[in-house]
Amino acid sequence: MGGQYKITGDKYPRMRPARRRGRLAFVAVASVTVLGVLGWGTLQLVDVFTGGDKASAAGAAGCVTTARASASPAAAVLPKPGQVTVNVLNATTRSGLAQKTADELKKRGFRVGEVSNAPKEYDKKVTGTGLLLGPAASPKSALPVLGTQLPGAEHRTDAARKGATVDLIIGNGFKGLAKRADADTALAELAAPRSTPAAEKKSC
């Protein structure tokens, strides 16, 4: 038998057809392609499931919460000085204090009622700068307004008292009313509407 192969003994080389090698190469390429497609598909699925979370987070980050303030109507019910009538009573041993204080209150716009010495129950018994005394409703009306003129005074109510008139009882520690500029500032702050938190609004 002539040609490239020489047979010796009872063994001879086996020859693979070229078609088998081509088939193996095709299988290898196909396997790589399938693995690539599967990998790409997996990445797409991961992006789909994680992309929604990112979008939600981005949307939440883009939302702006704003709180609107509303004006409290409480300050609107307070009377002006011209609507407050004050009895000025002197509980000290210093004469002339009641009249002098009443005159100053008039200049500041308050109405002045009785001007005299304090009754026996308060005479020489008010140790502080003064005592502001009024009916049950006065803490939400006249007393805060009058209190701007004498900041250190004690506020007290009398449930049995009728009418809207309040008393300014001058005490032993009294040195005068607050400076008018300071009193005016306190009045302005008292009358100013107060902001209170209202409903929150989100804008995205």
Side-chain angles (χ1 to χ4, degrees), residues 81-174:
Q83 298 172 309
V84 178
T85 301
V86 186
N87 297 326
V88 184
L89 309 174
N90 186 4
T92 75
T93 57
R94 294 174 284 170
S95 62
L97 279 182
Q99 189 60 58
K100 183 179 179 181
T101 303
D103 291 342
E104 183 60 30
L105 286 173
K106 276 185 181 180
K107 292 178 182 178
R108 299 183 184 191
F110 288 86
R111 294 179 180 179
V112 175
E114 181 184 355
V115 180
S116 66
N117 292 326
K120 186 176 180 179
E121 59 184 308
Y122 296 110
D123 190 29
K124 302 179 185 65
K125 296 177 182 177
V126 180
T127 58
T129 59
L131 171 64
L132 306 184
L133 180 64
S138 59
K140 294 183 179 180
S141 57
L143 286 188
V145 177
L146 182 58
T148 61
Q149 311 302 309
L150 192 59
E154 178 188 355
H155 294 202
R156 192 182 300 178
T157 60
D158 182 359
R161 186 163 180 163
K162 304 298 181 181
T165 301
V166 293
D167 295 343
L168 190 160
I169 304 175
I170 300 172
N172 292 326
F174 181 82

Side-chain angles (χ1 to χ4, degrees), residues 46-98:
V46 170
D47 288 341
V48 167
F49 286 108
T50 59
D53 294 340
K54 290 179 181 178
S56 299
C63 292
V64 178
T65 302
T66 56
R68 293 176 297 176
S70 62
S72 172
V77 302
L78 292 177
K80 295 180 180 180
Q83 298 172 309
V84 178
T85 301
V86 186
N87 297 326
V88 184
L89 309 174
N90 186 4
T92 75
T93 57
R94 294 174 284 170
S95 62
L97 279 182

